[in-house]
Amino acid sequence: MEPTGSRRVVVAAALIDAQGRVLACCRRDPPALAGGWEFPGGKVEPGEDEVTALARECREELGVGIEVGALLGEVALPTAGWVLRVWFARIVGGEPYMIAHSELRWLASHELDNVAWLSPDLPLVNDLRVALAAGVLGLWDGR
């Protein structure tokens, strides 16, 4: 992996609701990714910290305010020097609606395989399954 200073970070949220389900979002574009499912999020802009970027992306993509919890995990992206970091989060304002996606679904842990996750998200879906099975209490304790 490249040194931290030269890497680019994409942040995403494993948004968990009161029933312990996670929000999955279907990509509308670009054409190469359309129809694939992902955790909502996007690029961290220069000078922006990851939590601020994640909150901004959720406002822009879903129209919701969030509270960010613990880090679920990190995976390298296909583009050299890029990483995807997924954080647990919960909605604290608004109801999610489709701004940047073609479909949204709340999935219980036993439903996580019901959608075609994009390959970068897939390893973290497996980590999420384990975390959901253990319960979501304590996810908001520190980062």
Side-chain angles (χ1 to χ4, degrees):
M1 182 178 287
E2 306 221 356
T4 303
S6 65
R7 76 178 183 169
R8 292 291 313 262
V9 178
V10 175
V11 291
L15 286 169
I16 308 295
D17 72 2
Q19 290 77 43
R21 301 174 301 173
V22 65
L23 186 65
C25 303
C26 187
R27 294 285 305 239
R28 179 179 297 149
D29 53 45
L33 301 177
W37 290 79
E38 67 179 359
F39 298 110
K43 296 177 189 125
V44 176
E45 299 298 334
E48 190 175 42
D49 68 63
E50 292 179 17
V51 171
T52 301
L54 187 53
R56 175 184 51 76
E57 288 288 345
C58 286
R59 278 191 313 276
E60 292 174 0
E61 289 189 3
L62 299 169
V64 297
I66 64 167
E67 177 184 7
V68 178
L71 180 68
L72 170 61
E74 174 180 309
V75 295
L77 293 173
T79 304
W82 285 78
V83 296
L84 170 65
R85 291 175 51 87
V86 178
W87 300 80
F88 285 103
R90 60 182 166 191
I91 295 171
V92 295
E95 290 292 323
Y97 61 96
M98 293 178 291
I99 297 171
H101 297 93
S102 62
E103 190 176 349
L104 305 176
R105 286 189 200 168
W106 288 102
L107 302 173
S109 62
H110 68 276
E111 299 172 313
L112 291 173
D113 295 328
N114 291 358
V115 298
W117 292 93
L118 293 171
S119 58
D121 293 66
L122 201 51
L124 297 171
V125 170
N126 293 325
D127 294 343
L128 175 63
R129 186 183 333 273
V130 172
L132 291 176
V136 294
L137 295 177
L139 293 177
W140 318 114
D141 299 335
R143 288 189 248 285

